[in-house]
Amino acid sequence: MSRDAAEAETPERTAGEAIVLPEDAEHRLGETVRLLRQRAGFSIQELARRTGLSTGMISQLERGLASPSIRSLRLLSVALGVPISYFFEPHAPDPSSQYIVRRNDRRLLRLTASGVLKESLTPAQGGALEIYELTLNPGASSGADFVQHVGEKAVYVLAGRVRIWLDHEPHVLAAGDSVCFPSTVPHMFDNPEQEVARAIWVTTLHSGPPAREG
């Protein structure tokens, strides 16, 4: 099938369309976490200690019975020594270039409980930056706790409204608004509106102490 034909068969998601999350997303993500934990030689208890997550949460996550928040995935990525993009669904890249990511070749990360869909805009081989397009269902959030780590972040809102909390102070960003801040500032975000929001999210890969609550 040609690329044009494949794109024609793939309907584009509009700004106000909620994301639909497949049931097998949690099982694939849980298997990835389990294999990374075993490769690192960690028990569930050791991984819980390193992340601050409960052993029950990690056990349920590995069995596909729970969906993590973005904060939880960030904690897991630091403890397991991989970028958060490692948890994305695999997708065959465009063989014509190692630097280009076609729209239909984006790797996806679907967080059912959080109501968040992350689409990676950077190639699978990675680099100094992680760039995503986020789709946030009404009420979607990064999690219930603040997170901070070494690096920088920037957000540009494409549609809807995104509320980002910086050092416990809320800021509502509308379409066209942007923000850039050190990742050491305690932060979290959510969609407080009744319409779907979309945003471009940029973060630098960190190398430092594990993320922690603010």
Side-chain angles (χ1 to χ4, degrees):
M1 180 183 296
S2 67
R3 177 175 298 278
D4 291 341
E7 292 180 352
E9 291 185 3
T10 305
E12 291 190 1
R13 190 173 59 257
T14 62
E17 182 180 353
I19 56 178
V20 179
L21 305 172
E23 293 182 356
D24 63 349
E26 284 86 357
H27 290 88
R28 190 206 62 81
L29 181 58
E31 180 68 7
T32 299
V33 172
R34 184 181 66 83
L35 291 174
L36 285 172
R37 175 179 62 78
Q38 291 177 340
R39 187 180 73 179
F42 298 156
S43 65
I44 289 180
Q45 291 76 14
E46 176 62 14
L47 184 57
R49 186 189 69 79
R50 288 172 176 263
T51 60
L53 302 174
S54 69
T55 56
M57 173 61 186
I58 294 176
S59 177
Q60 288 188 330
L61 173 60
E62 290 190 357
R63 290 180 290 154
L65 301 178
S67 178
S69 66
I70 291 179
R71 172 187 175 273
S72 297
L73 277 184
R74 177 63 65 183
L75 292 170
L76 287 166
S77 72
V78 173
L80 295 170
V82 296
I84 199 170
S85 58
Y86 199 97
F87 299 113
F88 282 57
E89 298 173 13
H91 199 293
D94 179 3
S96 65
S97 174
Q98 61 177 319
Y99 305 114
I100 295 174
V101 179
R102 304 291 182 183
R103 180 181 181 87
N104 287 346
D105 293 337
R106 295 178 183 179
R107 293 170 296 136
L108 308 178
L109 178 61
R110 312 165 193 263
L111 304 177
T112 305
S114 301
V116 176
L117 172 67
K118 296 183 74 171
E119 301 179 61
S120 178
L121 305 184
T122 44
Q125 68 266 24
L129 294 176
E130 291 180 342
I131 307 176
Y132 313 107
E133 180 176 336
L134 269 64
T135 302
L136 308 176
N137 282 344
S141 75
S142 58
D145 298 301
F146 288 86
V147 66
Q148 59 189 120
H149 56 82
V150 176
E152 291 184 271
K153 287 186 177 178
V155 182
Y156 175 76
V157 178
L158 299 170
R161 293 176 181 270
V162 176
R163 179 170 56 191
I164 186 162
W165 301 72
L166 300 175
D167 202 10
H168 300 81
E169 181 179 352
H171 305 270
V172 177
L173 306 181
D177 292 343
S178 59
V179 63
C180 182
F181 58 95
S183 299
T184 51
V185 174
H187 58 278
M188 62 183 294
F189 65 87
D190 64 0
N191 176 7
E193 306 293 336
Q194 295 302 309
E195 62 177 288
V196 174
R198 292 173 49 239
I200 298 297
W201 189 276
V202 182
T203 182
T204 59
L205 296 178
H206 53 80
S207 58
R212 61 187 186 278
E213 293 184 15

